[in-house]
Amino acid sequence: MKIFLDTANITEIKRAVELGLIDGVTTNPTLLSKEGREPVSQLREIIKLVHGPVNAEVVSPDADDMVKDAKPLSKLGKNVVIKIPMCEQGLIAVRRLAEQGIKTNVTLIFSSSQALLAAKAGASYVSPFVGRIDDISGNGMELIQEIVTIFDNYLFKTEIIVASIRHPVHFVQSAMIGAHIATVPFNVLERLMKHPLTDRGIDAFNKDWEKLKNALKSKPH
Ligand code: G3P
């Protein structure tokens, strides 16, 4: 499973790139607004740091403007993917962009019918939001299972990006179901590496090693 980082924060992206685990980055208007900088220059900096796909979202309400806004964004780098919100106009824009060879990621997917239509429209990626479904007492991971089954049934090439991941269990379940990509916030990436028994084990090994070194030091030669 590929791992994307769900952030527009440069420090987080640099740290994740250094780890060598990041296959791409997803941004959205909320994540970019958190950084408080001019979004295009922020995106330029992200694109320089990341080799894989960098997702940048358009916010216009109609297809003509979505396509118009997508063009300069797609020219920022070969790895730019245009995020399009799931709606009727969005699907029209996806079809037009696909015809021009521009990759899209249909975002704000909350049902498998939406995912199927986005794939048929020519989306390169779909982003179902699992955490937001769980927030309203639904089951986000059931949606991922449905989309994986549907895409397998019809051999769609569209990749599934599990988005709105809130904790490591979402990540592991995504991998078990066979989603192509999980996009994770930096704090989840950090938690994926951690286990209290690992920390306790390292601590015990270090203490025992010190004990042995001290015992050898005080032993007469
Ligand atoms: O990339 C968008 C998505 O991951 C948003 O997550 O936590 O705002 O539901 P969240």
Side-chain angles (χ1 to χ4, degrees):
M1 183 170 70
K2 285 177 267 186
I3 305 174
F4 286 5
L5 200 64
D6 198 21
T7 188
N9 183 278
I10 301 297
T11 310
E12 290 180 347
I13 293 170
K14 279 185 179 163
R15 283 182 62 192
V17 167
E18 198 185 357
L19 269 168
L21 292 171
I22 290 308
D23 302 297
V25 164
T26 48
T27 69
N28 62 36
T30 304
L31 293 170
L32 281 161
S33 81
K34 278 189 196 160
E35 302 308 311
R37 274 179 59 190
E38 199 283 310
V40 173
S41 64
Q42 188 77 7
L43 285 164
R44 276 188 213 281
E45 204 173 332
I46 296 171
I47 291 161
K48 265 193 228 150
L49 293 169
V50 180
H51 291 303
V54 172
N55 288 251
E57 192 159 338
V58 293
V59 289
S60 305
D62 62 85
D64 287 343
D65 287 338
M66 284 182 201
V67 171
K68 212 188 289 166
D69 294 348
K71 293 269 182 64
L73 285 176
S74 70
K75 292 201 173 95
L76 293 176
K78 279 195 182 124
N79 52 344
V80 172
V81 174
I82 306 299
K83 258 175 125 174
I84 306 271
M86 175 65 209
C87 58
E88 196 177 326
Q89 290 296 306
L91 293 181
I92 295 169
V94 167
R95 165 77 59 212
R96 289 194 201 153
L97 291 167
E99 281 163 5
Q100 295 170 40
I102 295 174
K103 287 189 172 173
T104 56
N105 168 5
V106 177
T107 187
L108 291 163
I109 295 277
F110 292 96
S111 74
S112 43
S113 59
Q114 291 179 320
L116 175 53
L117 296 185
K120 280 186 75 76
S124 307
Y125 304 91
V126 289
S127 289
F129 278 29
V130 292
R132 292 193 195 181
I133 293 176
D134 292 359
D135 286 346
I136 57 160
S137 305
N139 187 333
M141 296 318 299
E142 263 175 28
L143 172 61
I144 304 305
Q145 182 62 74
E146 281 177 23
I147 302 173
V148 166
T149 304
I150 291 169
F151 283 12
D152 283 353
N153 284 348
Y154 298 103
L155 306 175
F156 280 118
K157 289 206 176 82
T158 309
E159 292 188 73
I160 301 162
I161 305 178
V162 182
S164 187
I165 285 186
R166 301 277 164 76
H167 49 69
V169 177
H170 277 150
F171 179 86
V172 173
Q173 288 177 335
S174 302
M176 292 193 42
I177 292 170
H180 305 93
I181 302 153
T183 188
V184 295
F186 191 77
N187 75 79
V188 173
L189 183 68
E190 282 183 312
R191 281 186 280 160
L192 292 176
M193 289 180 266
K194 292 261 171 205
H195 195 288
L197 292 180
T198 306
D199 295 343
R200 217 188 292 172
I202 290 173
D203 198 42
F205 285 153
N206 287 344
K207 281 188 181 136
D208 288 340
W209 194 247
E210 279 307 306
K211 227 189 282 170
L212 174 64
K213 281 202 300 191
N214 289 335
L216 291 176
K217 246 189 259 167
S218 52
K219 216 173 170 185
H221 295 286

